[in-house]
Amino acid sequence: MESASERSSASPIRIGLIGKTNAGKTTLFNSMTLLAGEVSNYPFTTKTPESGIASAVTPCVHKEFGVTDSPANSKCDDGWRFIPVEVTDLPGLIKGAWMGKGLGNQFLSVAAQSDALLHVVDASGSVDKDGKISEPGTGDPMADFADVELELVLWYTKLFTQNLPKLSKLSKTPGYGIPSAVEEVMQGIGVRKEHVVMAIKDAILGDKAFDSWNEKDIQTFCWSLREYSKPTLLIANKMDLPFAAENFKNLREKFKGLIVVPTSGEAELTLRRAEAKRLIRYVPGEERFEILKPQDLNDAQRSALAYIKRKVFGEYLRTGVQFALNIEVFKLLKMNAIYPVADAEKLTDKHGRVLPDVFLMPSGSTVEELAKAVHSDLARGLVYAVDVRTGLHLPSNYMLRDRDVLSIVSTAKRS
Ligand SMILES: Nc1nc2c(ncn2[C@@H]2O[C@H](COP(=O)(O)OP(=O)(O)O)[C@@H](O)[C@H]2O)c(=O)[nH]1
Ligand SMILES: [Mg+2]
């Protein structure tokens, strides 16, 4: 299995949508990926049919430099850069999935290979215990969230427990220790040494020999491991419906360790579809839309847009969908948007395109890692990077900052 940490930073970030049936995952997925259809030159193709390309949006640097850009790996709209990320719409999870029920194993392994998750809950409570749509206020969003989380943790625990003999042996091997042992066994699902160290601390197992961990210790440890290794944002969806506002507050109150973002996936989908038909002007994430051709709207379209204006933009200022993706990428995963250019004067690549690319690099990444992400040849001959703003020469171990525009100087010619 390919692990999240092994893959090249040039491949897109993978975000998995999880949650109960009818929480609104597919609607969110469709709304997030609708825009990408217009962009033909995204460098990535998706691997599974349920995957698509969405965007993380950040203010583009072209305004600051007073230039007109010609984006290649991303898109620029109204001063906003749309950087591709991959999202996967996972099938709803049923109880007992961790034991392999339903599509359990398939679901969990895709979830585990995502870099981060969006856990979608129907905040209006219009889904009943059996997952069927009913009146708002019937369901229990708090329990929905907890159920799915429990399945995930039980699955982590199962993987861990199955590997106890191997873990025990590895942890006693010279040069290993528990963190390296757990990383080796669980890195395929995104577990890294630093996550293990933090989980050991949380479970207060620092002084306990691995072989004497009891069932309770393992449970507590696996719970923390899931939290650290898989950053998750809680999406309170269907905010346009009754009961949602109250449940949103309760969710935020009860799950204090999480960022909770209120959304209306349905509203976002309506707006992006209307934008695609040029009926309205709407930049995802913005707090407004403009009707372009009032005379072309039919009655249903007119009332849908009026509903969104009243129920979504009125109370929450935005649909929350693009906002949730941005928070996931820039806050939870702590990505920096980096603009590599070949010519530090003209801000162009070798084809003369201005500010062509943006790379998402995790915080802590260096000039060297950027060079590798751009091209391996570039990295091999790396000398330094020119900071376009100041002209300074930045050494290969310089830690990148968000919105850096850099020209990499290398003895290797780029192919
Ligand atoms: N009112 C409202 N309904 C929504 C929203 N998002 C999804 N729905 C509806 O909820 C139902 C289930 O949505 P779906 O995306 O298929 O859920 P999934 O099973 O999690 O993929 C559909 O009838 C959607 O139209 C929303 O934000 N507001
Ligand atoms: Mg679905």
Side-chain angles (χ1 to χ4, degrees):
M1 198 180 346
E2 186 198 14
S3 90
S5 53
E6 273 168 4
R7 72 196 166 73
S8 134
S9 36
S11 42
I13 290 166
R14 284 185 287 202
I15 295 171
L17 286 161
I18 64 165
K20 285 222 163 143
T21 305
N22 283 327
K25 297 180 296 298
T26 300
T27 307
L28 283 162
F29 173 83
N30 288 339
S31 76
M32 286 170 178
T33 54
L34 190 59
L35 196 76
E38 301 166 19
V39 185
S40 52
N41 56 349
Y42 274 144
F44 314 118
T45 47
T46 58
K47 285 168 209 74
T48 56
E50 315 84 15
S51 289
I53 299 294
S55 311
V57 182
T58 171
C60 184
V61 297
H62 83 261
K63 279 194 174 162
E64 181 196 330
F65 287 95
V67 294
T68 306
D69 54 5
S70 25
N73 82 340
S74 43
K75 197 183 130 174
C76 190
D77 188 0
D78 208 18
W80 298 98
R81 255 310 159 116
F82 288 71
I83 310 165
V85 297
E86 186 177 310
V87 286
T88 304
D89 180 19
L90 295 163
L93 197 60
I94 59 164
K95 264 205 171 107
W98 69 278
M99 292 187 289
K101 275 195 189 165
L103 291 168
N105 281 331
Q106 198 194 341
F107 168 91
L108 289 160
S109 66
V110 177
Q113 284 173 67
S114 305
D115 297 304
L117 300 173
L118 292 169
H119 187 152
V120 186
V121 164
D122 172 358
S124 71
S126 52
V127 176
D128 67 17
K129 276 204 303 296
D130 306 317
K132 294 210 180 67
I133 299 268
S134 62
E135 288 301 305
T138 349
D140 181 350
M142 259 70 71
D144 288 347
F145 176 78
D147 287 350
V148 173
E149 281 299 309
L150 183 64
E151 289 299 325
L152 263 180
V153 173
L154 288 174
W155 189 70
Y156 271 71
T157 313
K158 184 175 99 168
L159 265 185
F160 188 84
T161 314
Q162 277 174 344
N163 283 291
L164 275 177
K166 185 174 179 189
L167 285 165
S168 166
K169 195 166 151 228
L170 270 180
S171 68
K172 285 177 229 140
T173 309
Y176 259 88
I178 301 173
S180 302
V182 179
E183 181 183 70
E184 180 158 329
V185 168
M186 299 178 84
Q187 65 181 357
I189 62 171
V191 172
R192 293 198 309 271
K193 248 192 279 187
E194 61 262 33
H195 305 141
V196 183
V197 170
M198 291 187 287
I200 288 176
K201 205 168 153 212
D202 276 12
I204 325 173
L205 291 166
D207 297 328
K208 211 164 174 178
F210 184 75
D211 290 339
S212 60
W213 288 18
N214 60 33
E215 212 172 299
K216 186 88 209 323
D217 294 334
I218 291 175
Q219 256 173 31
T220 320
F221 171 78
C222 285
W223 200 277
S224 288
L225 201 57
R226 175 264 172 276
E227 281 180 5
Y228 287 121
S229 61
K230 201 66 57 185
T232 300
L233 188 101
L234 173 49
I235 288 195
N237 193 35
K238 307 197 190 181
M239 287 307 294
D240 54 290
L241 292 179
F243 297 97
E246 199 183 318
N247 283 325
F248 165 58
K249 277 198 204 107
N250 293 338
L251 284 163
R252 203 163 54 173
E253 191 58 31
K254 181 150 183 204
F255 304 109
K256 287 199 180 69
L258 290 168
I259 300 177
V260 189
V261 175
T263 65
S264 177
E266 190 110 314
E268 182 74 5
L269 187 57
T270 304
L271 292 173
R272 291 209 192 185
R273 280 183 176 153
E275 158 79 21
K277 286 186 191 144
R278 305 280 176 255
L279 290 169
I280 65 168
R281 172 76 182 129
Y282 172 62
V283 179
E286 284 196 351
E287 297 165 10
R288 63 197 158 81
F289 62 88
E290 186 193 335
I291 296 177
L292 294 176
K293 299 175 193 154
Q295 68 281 7
D296 287 358
L297 295 177
N298 63 34
D299 285 349
Q301 288 166 335
R302 197 170 296 118
S303 79
L305 291 174
Y307 176 83
I308 291 169
K309 217 162 214 161
R310 197 169 66 243
K311 291 285 184 182
V312 180
F313 284 86
E315 289 179 51
Y316 297 99
L317 296 173
R318 55 189 153 212
T319 71
V321 176
Q322 188 56 57
F323 181 66
L325 273 169
N326 294 347
I327 297 290
E328 179 97 337
V329 170
F330 296 114
K331 300 277 188 224
L332 275 184
L333 285 170
K334 300 190 176 63
M335 291 292 160
N336 294 320
I338 311 293
Y339 300 70
V341 295
D343 186 321
E345 299 292 319
K346 299 196 189 103
L347 308 183
T348 52
D349 63 7
K350 58 179 181 166
H351 305 292
R353 295 178 297 197
V354 179
L355 295 169
D357 296 338
V358 190
F359 281 70
L360 290 174
M361 303 293 296
S363 74
S365 312
T366 58
V367 161
E368 188 177 1
E369 280 155 319
L370 175 68
K372 273 188 199 143
V374 175
H375 201 288
S376 53
D377 291 345
L378 208 56
R380 264 192 291 278
L382 174 63
V383 188
Y384 55 81
V386 178
D387 175 38
V388 167
R389 284 191 184 84
T390 59
L392 286 172
H393 291 190
L394 305 172
S396 58
N397 67 354
Y398 164 84
M399 270 192 214
L400 305 169
R401 286 190 56 200
D402 191 36
R403 304 167 61 72
D404 270 344
V405 185
L406 303 174
S407 172
I408 292 165
V409 176
S410 170
T411 54
K413 281 261 180 304
R414 274 181 74 183
S415 53

